[in-house]
């Protein structure tokens, strides 16, 4: 197989990089990662040398370059089917794709008000109705998925899937901004926080150079 190279943004801030990295890391496949410092002089030029969109993550596999998190996750799922990155059941798989796509394209208020910053001091912020509506929707998704599939394991669809990778940055946001959670949503957030891949990413973020 051609080598896999995953280009990432600064771990402290890059939610989209985290999603693709978790999916690829879950496969157990060997890959090289290169972190590109964000929000620095020359960041844009460095990104464009590796990603046609000028955004991260980007996955290079031989001559193929992919530059969207969900597209990378889909590609990795096809490349390594034994990793079971989607549920095996057709209906569950369709639902997992639906909630992953909703995360991919939605929750604008939450993103804008509570950006991922893994070095931020844990503290709440004042939230408006739009942010609260996004939080309610996220926790509703988590609760419903766990209600339907909790008997199969600890994650949204039992075993770890792309859906969990897509919501992982929200888990960090809820923790950083001290969003109170209860019931199944709280249990799921703690499960994800303890996930070895997410824990490794957070630990690396604490020691990385923000200037590259």
């Amino acid at each position: 197989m051609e080598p896999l190279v995953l280009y990432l943004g600064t771990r402290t801030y890059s939610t989209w990089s985290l999603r693709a990295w978790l999916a690829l890391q879950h496969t157990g496949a060997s890959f090289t990662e290169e972190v590109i410092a964000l929000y620095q002089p020359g960041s844009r030029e460095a990104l464009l040398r590796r990603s046609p969109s000028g955004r991260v993550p980007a996955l290079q596999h031989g001559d193929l370059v992919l530059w969207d998190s969900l597209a990378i996750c889909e590609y990795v799922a096809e490349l390594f089917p034994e990793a079971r990155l989607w549920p095996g059941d057709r209906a569950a798989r369709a639902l997992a794709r639906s909630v992953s796509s909703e995360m991919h394209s939605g929750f604008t208020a939450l993103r804008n008000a509570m950006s991922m910053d893994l070095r931020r001091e844990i503290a709440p912020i004042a939230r408006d109705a739009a942010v609260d509506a996004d939080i309610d929707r996220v926790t509703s998704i988590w609760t419903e998925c766990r209600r339907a599939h909790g008997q199969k394991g600890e994650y949204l669809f039992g075993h770890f899937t792309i859906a969990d990778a897509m919501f992982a940055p929200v888990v960090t946001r809820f923790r950083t901004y001290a969003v109170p959670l209860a019931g199944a949503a709280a249990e799921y957030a703690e499960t994800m926080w303890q996930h070895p891949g997410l824990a490794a990413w957070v630990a690396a973020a604490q020691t990385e150079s923000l200037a590259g």
Side-chain angles (χ1 to χ4, degrees):
M1 180 183 290
E2 295 275 8
L4 291 160
V5 182
L6 186 62
Y7 299 104
L8 307 168
T10 309
R11 287 182 176 87
T12 300
Y13 310 123
S14 187
T15 60
W16 296 108
S17 296
L18 170 57
R19 292 173 169 113
W21 185 87
L22 280 174
L24 185 51
Q25 188 264 353
H26 179 75
T27 69
S30 175
F31 66 97
T32 301
E33 59 185 69
E34 179 180 328
V35 178
I36 302 165
L38 303 178
Y39 316 123
Q40 300 295 316
S43 292
R44 178 67 175 171
E45 292 76 13
L47 290 167
L48 284 169
R49 286 196 294 270
R50 296 159 177 84
S51 169
S53 68
R55 297 176 181 274
V56 280
L59 177 68
Q60 183 172 354
H61 188 205
D63 293 332
L64 177 67
V65 178
L66 301 174
W67 58 90
D68 174 86
S69 290
L70 192 51
I72 291 169
C73 289
E74 288 275 14
Y75 182 72
V76 168
E78 291 187 11
L79 204 59
F80 303 103
E82 66 281 1
R84 299 194 304 152
L85 277 168
W86 288 123
D89 175 75
R90 183 173 61 185
R93 187 165 61 251
L95 181 58
R97 282 194 162 104
S98 291
V99 299
S100 296
S101 296
E102 184 176 354
M103 183 69 254
H104 187 263
S105 61
F107 304 105
T108 303
L110 175 61
R111 297 180 197 278
N112 291 339
M114 299 165 57
S115 60
M116 187 172 85
D117 182 349
L118 294 175
R119 297 193 186 186
R120 183 183 186 275
E121 181 180 355
I122 296 175
I125 59 169
R127 303 195 305 260
D128 62 21
V131 175
D132 282 341
D134 278 356
I135 291 171
D136 288 346
R137 176 59 186 152
V138 168
T139 57
S140 174
I141 289 171
W142 292 357
T143 300
E144 287 304 308
C145 288
R146 293 294 301 133
R147 180 191 59 77
H149 302 283
Q151 73 279 8
K152 305 172 190 174
E154 296 180 307
Y155 296 98
L156 291 179
F157 293 88
H159 66 273
F160 183 88
T161 68
I162 288 170
D164 300 295
M166 292 300 293
F167 280 99
V170 180
V171 170
T172 76
R173 285 176 163 110
F174 284 178
R175 192 177 189 90
T176 300
Y177 293 90
V179 175
L181 301 172
E187 292 172 4
Y188 172 69
E190 183 60 26
T191 292
M192 277 302 301
W193 186 252
Q194 299 298 329
H195 182 277
L198 181 55
W201 180 279
V202 171
Q206 304 308 309
T207 59
E208 71 180 338
S209 170
L210 301 182

